[in-house]
């Protein structure tokens, strides 16, 4: 039984790493993700009640066939809320290499809250179509301080860390605040 558990953990670890790499798309620089502003609200805050227990709440929304994006919607508060979406094509994941899924459309969600001076206070990143359920979802949180939200800001300086295990977010993209 112990060997079966070790084998399953080994497979899960490989599955997780391969799936995350496959969801990242082309790393050659030609296909950099652009995070386009889709919502901008004032006098709001993050719904930490849902975000703090993300795994449970996200799984629950999937089971109830509700929109998984509800977790990322703002509630009343004192901050400026920004929601960005990056849409891109990447290979889907299949544990069977002979059965690799064709290119699929993925959506990355980035939510950021700022103070009145556009200083980033907090933020989260998530790949909406993540297929690793229900074992673990790659929710990343902003760990940078003192950054100002601005058009063209790269994700790298946000210092995104996975909430579950503090691993680094190793993809990049640019924030687009306007239609320019």
């Amino acid at each position: 039984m112990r060997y079966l558990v070790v084998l399953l953990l080994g497979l899960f670890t490989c599955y997780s790493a391969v799936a995350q790499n496959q969801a990242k798309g082309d790393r050659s620089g030609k296909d950099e993700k652009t995070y386009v502003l889709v919502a901008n609200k004032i006098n709001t805050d993050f719904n930490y009640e849902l975000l703090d227990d993300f795994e449970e709440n996200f799984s629950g929304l999937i089971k109830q066939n509700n929109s998984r994006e509800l977790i990322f919607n703002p509630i009343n508060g004192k901050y400026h809320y920004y929601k960005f979406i990056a849409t891109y094509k990447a290979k889907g994941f299949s544990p069977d290499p002979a059965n690799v899924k064709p290119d699929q459309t993925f959506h990355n969600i980035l939510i950021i809250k700022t103070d009145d001076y556009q200083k980033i206070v907090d933020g989260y990143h998530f790949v909406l179509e993540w297929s690793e359920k229900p074992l673990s979802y790659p929710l990343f949180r902003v760990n940078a301080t003192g950054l100002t939200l601005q058009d063209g800001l790269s994700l790298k300086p946000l210092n995104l860390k996975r909430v579950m295990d503090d691993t680094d977010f190793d993809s990049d993209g640019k924030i687009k605040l306007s239609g320019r």
Side-chain angles (χ1 to χ4, degrees):
M1 182 66 165
R2 200 172 0 162
Y3 296 110
L4 179 60
V5 170
V6 170
L7 177 64
L8 288 174
L9 284 173
L11 286 173
F12 169 70
T13 303
C14 291
Y15 168 82
S16 177
V18 169
Q20 189 171 3
N21 287 336
Q22 286 180 349
K24 289 178 187 160
D26 182 7
R27 303 195 34 98
S28 66
K30 296 181 291 190
D31 194 26
E32 181 178 81
K33 293 174 192 72
T34 301
Y35 288 77
V36 178
L37 180 66
V38 296
N40 177 5
K41 301 180 186 229
I42 58 171
N43 298 322
T44 60
D45 203 343
F46 291 162
N47 189 341
Y48 287 107
E49 186 176 320
L50 294 178
L51 287 165
D52 287 345
D53 196 8
F54 182 80
E55 303 261 339
E56 179 77 25
N57 291 315
F58 197 76
S59 294
L61 287 171
I62 290 172
K63 289 176 190 167
Q64 296 171 17
N65 292 323
N66 288 335
S67 172
R68 297 167 288 177
E69 288 188 62
L70 291 174
I71 289 177
F72 304 104
N73 287 349
I75 59 173
N76 290 333
K78 64 177 187 174
Y79 297 100
H80 296 260
Y81 166 90
Y82 297 87
K83 179 178 180 182
F84 302 90
I85 302 282
T87 304
Y88 60 98
K89 296 269 189 193
K91 292 255 184 254
F93 175 77
S94 173
D96 177 9
N99 225 4
V100 173
K101 296 178 183 178
D103 279 355
Q104 296 176 335
T105 301
F106 290 88
H107 301 88
N108 290 1
I109 294 176
L110 175 66
I111 58 173
I112 292 177
K113 76 176 180 183
T114 68
D115 63 15
D116 289 337
Y117 303 101
Q118 297 301 301
K119 292 288 184 194
I120 297 173
V121 176
D122 202 359
Y124 289 90
H125 182 281
F126 184 72
V127 178
L128 191 58
E129 292 83 9
W130 194 253
S131 61
E132 198 179 300
K133 61 184 189 251
L135 301 174
S136 170
Y137 298 107
L139 179 66
F140 290 85
R141 190 168 191 179
V142 170
N143 280 294
T145 57
L147 287 178
T148 301
L149 181 62
Q150 57 189 346
D151 195 50
L153 179 66
S154 170
L155 265 59
K156 288 287 186 192
L158 295 177
N159 193 22
L160 291 160
K161 301 277 187 185
R162 191 170 181 172
V163 171
M164 184 180 83
D165 59 12
D166 211 32
T167 56
D168 291 331
F169 180 74
D170 64 352
S171 190
D172 200 7
K174 297 265 188 233
I175 290 175
K176 184 169 179 148
L177 285 170
S178 65
R180 297 184 266 167

